[in-house]
Amino acid sequence: MCVGVPAKVIEKKDYTALVDVMGTRMEVGILFVPEVQTGEYVIVHAGQGMSIVDRDFARASINEWEKMAHANVI
């Protein structure tokens, strides 16, 4: 199973971007989404921005990730 997380683009360079994933910043490749702009959201998988998603989808997805991160699993 592949899992991608939404990330907000903070700074764009030629082939990489600095993104924020739920408060953690990291650099990811943007070869698959070279048209992405600062402030937009991308789905990140294996260190690569895979697709651009709209803000509402990204926020809803982040909300679900946060629920899973804080779930009490026994």
Side-chain angles (χ1 to χ4, degrees):
M1 178 172 86
C2 296
V3 179
V5 295
K8 184 175 184 178
V9 176
I10 305 299
E11 180 182 324
K12 180 183 173 183
K13 299 177 185 174
D14 289 333
Y15 303 105
T16 63
L18 177 66
V19 298
D20 182 292
V21 179
M22 295 174 31
T24 300
R25 290 186 175 197
M26 64 185 71
E27 197 153 319
V28 300
I30 56 169
L31 290 174
F32 298 119
V33 288
E35 70 278 13
V36 71
Q37 298 298 314
T38 300
E40 291 185 314
Y41 289 84
V42 294
I43 295 296
V44 175
H45 171 69
Q48 297 295 316
M50 302 302 285
S51 62
I52 299 170
V53 295
D54 69 44
R55 182 183 61 184
D56 292 336
F57 175 85
R59 289 184 178 170
S61 182
I62 290 167
N63 185 44
E64 294 303 316
W65 277 102
E66 289 174 341
K67 285 179 188 177
M68 286 190 292
H70 296 98
N72 289 326
V73 179
I74 299 175

